[in-house]
């Protein structure tokens, strides 16, 4: 009986896929035809795919391989150029790839190789921008750097990942975001970094040395930085880029302390805080504790990382925050403190990946489905609608049901032998044109 159930599932999958005429279907067919050495037919399917949407760098590269083998030399060079301008990185493989033997015999090949640095720079320039703002609070011109996701589209909405300490955090945050989003582990996001003119003045926390300034207030420089960020940078980004309304702030050391304190600020614009080795006074931690008890319209994701080889006071701050997080009863506060075998600086590299995964932990999250599928009255349509509502509410972006997601839900459903849920699952995916 179980075998019959699985055979029925496989036959449904087969007929389901035949009805798909999406970008992924054309690229998949193009690769199948490439493997069977039907290069001209494969080339036609690459063309159809790229008419639907702009391609990925790997797809342009594979299209170049196909066209080189099909004898379409000009088209092969064109797709090869597009692959580099869209982020293809393995130039050494490109130079030795046997699929391009026909191109290597042409004079244009050497000319093309000479232009590769230019193509790569165009790709970098297309993703990274430098904007200058006249700051009323600092009374000077300030620099912010912006990293856009590949295929940035003004008609789509993107979460924004802000970092303080731009000299230290811009490149690594952009790189981590790029690779996590490439595999759709987190959504495509825009990275914005603040570059400090005088870091000590702008980022020194209030440790109570001046009795005239309460510890829940910022020192002059940090106060100016807060106002610059809240009242100048964020409005500028919202006006000039397509933002979803979900903002993350990342800080390290002094700026981690400030980022944590921003949580308690009445004008706080961040729904995700990444605080890499903060150093907070007990009174400041108490302020954060009280703020975390307040009701919110949507989730707050708060990630703190601590290094076992770091300053003992910073490590103690992490422990105190961890005790608060473990006693948290507010369902809208998603908070975690995590320890790493790291010092003050290498903690960035070791914890930032986890931090980004954490603040986007409700993106493509189906961890509850295994329990849901054993419920007698599970409505798949309702379940997927709830996921959509959660994604829109928390991240401001539409729900994107992926082939891998469908496959996971399908595998769980088959393992639980729930034919009713299986039928609903296919009905829901057909109805919403997920494939």
């Amino acid at each position: 009986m179980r075998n019959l159930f699985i055979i029925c599932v496989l036959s449904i999958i087969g007929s389901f896929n035949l009805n798909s005429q999406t970008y992924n279907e054309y690229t998949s067919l193009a690769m199948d035809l490439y493997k069977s050495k039907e290069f001209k037919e494969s080339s036609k399917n690459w063309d159809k795919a790229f008419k639907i949407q702009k391609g990925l760098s790997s797809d342009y590269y594979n299209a170049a391989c196909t066209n080189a083998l099909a004898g379409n030399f000009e088209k092969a060079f064109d797709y090869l150029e597009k692959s580099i301008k869209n982020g293809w990185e393995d130039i050494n493989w490109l130079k030795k790839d046997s699929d391009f033997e026909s191109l290597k015999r042409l004079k244009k090949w050497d000319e093309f190789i000479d232009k590769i640095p230019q193509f790569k720079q165009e790709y970098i320039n297309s993703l990274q921008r430098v904007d200058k703002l006249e700051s009323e609070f600092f009374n000077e011109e300030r620099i912010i750097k912006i990293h856009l996701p590949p295929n940035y589209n003004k008609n789509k909405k993107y979460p924004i990942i802000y970092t303080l300490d731009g000299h230290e955090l811009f490149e690594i945050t952009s790189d981590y975001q790029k690779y996590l989003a490439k595999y759709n582990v987190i959504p495509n996001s825009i990275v914005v970094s603040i570059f400090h003119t005088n870091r000590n003045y702008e980022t020194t926390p209030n440790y109570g040395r001046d009795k005239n300034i309460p510890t829940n207030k910022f020192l002059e420089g940090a106060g100016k930085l807060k106002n610059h960020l809240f009242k100048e940078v964020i409005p500028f980004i919202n006006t000039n880029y397509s933002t979803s309304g979900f903002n993350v702030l990342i800080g390290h050391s002094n700026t981690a302390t400030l980022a944590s304190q921003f949580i308690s600020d009445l004008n706080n614009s961040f729904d995700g805080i990444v605080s890499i080795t903060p150093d907070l006074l007990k009174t400041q931690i108490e302020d954060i504790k009280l703020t975390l008890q307040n009701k919110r319209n949507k989730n707050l994701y708060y990630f703190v990382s601590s290094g076992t080889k770091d300053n003992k006071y910073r490590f103690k701050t992490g422990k105190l925050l961890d005790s608060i997080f473990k006693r948290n009863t507010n369902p809208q506060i998603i908070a975690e403190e995590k320890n790493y075998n790291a010092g003050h600086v290498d903690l960035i590299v070791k914890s930032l990946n986890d931090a980004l995964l954490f603040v986007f932990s409700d993106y493509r999250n189906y961890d509850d489905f295994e329990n849901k599928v054993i419920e007698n009255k599970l409505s798949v349509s309702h379940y997927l609608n709830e996921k959509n509502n959660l994604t829109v509410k928390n991240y401001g972006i539409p729900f994107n049901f992926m082939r891998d997601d469908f496959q996971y839900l399908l595998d769980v459903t088959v393992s639980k032998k729930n034919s009713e849920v299986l039928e609903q699952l296919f009905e829901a995916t057909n109805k919403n044109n997920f494939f």
Side-chain angles (χ1 to χ4, degrees), residues 75-100:
K75 187 178 286 188
F77 277 118
D78 180 57
Y79 281 140
L80 203 52
E81 179 178 334
K82 286 181 178 178
S83 73
I84 300 171
K85 287 183 176 180
N86 283 276
W88 180 264
E89 297 175 337
D90 197 345
I91 304 304
N92 288 332
W93 174 256
L94 180 155
K95 292 178 179 178
K96 65 183 182 182
D97 195 331
S98 60
D99 283 351
F100 299 133

Side-chain angles (χ1 to χ4, degrees), residues 98 226 249 357 377 382:
S98 60
K226 184 198 75 169
L249 180 64
L357 291 174
K377 296 183 179 180
H382 177 74

Side-chain angles (χ1 to χ4, degrees), residues 144-149 152 156-163 173 177 187-194 229 233-234 236-250 269-273 356 359-360 395-397:
I144 59 173
K145 276 191 176 181
I146 300 163
H147 180 90
L148 298 176
Y152 171 75
K156 294 183 178 180
K157 301 293 183 181
Y158 299 90
I160 311 297
I161 303 172
Y162 292 88
T163 86
T173 304
Q177 187 280 328
N188 277 312
S189 305
I190 298 172
V191 177
V192 179
S193 280
I194 312 299
L229 179 58
V233 176
I234 293 176
F236 174 83
I237 296 299
N238 288 340
T239 299
N240 292 279
Y241 297 91
S242 186
T243 62
S244 72
F246 181 78
N247 296 328
V248 179
L249 180 64
I250 301 174
S269 301
F270 297 101
D271 306 298
I273 297 288
L356 292 173
V359 296
F360 290 106
Y395 301 119
I397 54 177

Side-chain angles (χ1 to χ4, degrees), residues 27 30-31 34 42 46 50 56-69 79-80 83 88 93 97 99-100:
T27 57
M31 286 304 300
Y34 164 86
S42 175
W46 285 120
F50 299 140
L56 302 174
S57 61
S58 57
D59 290 337
Y60 282 130
Y61 184 88
N62 289 329
C65 292
T66 298
N67 280 281
L69 294 168
Y79 281 140
L80 203 52
S83 73
W88 180 264
W93 174 256
D97 195 331
D99 283 351
F100 299 133

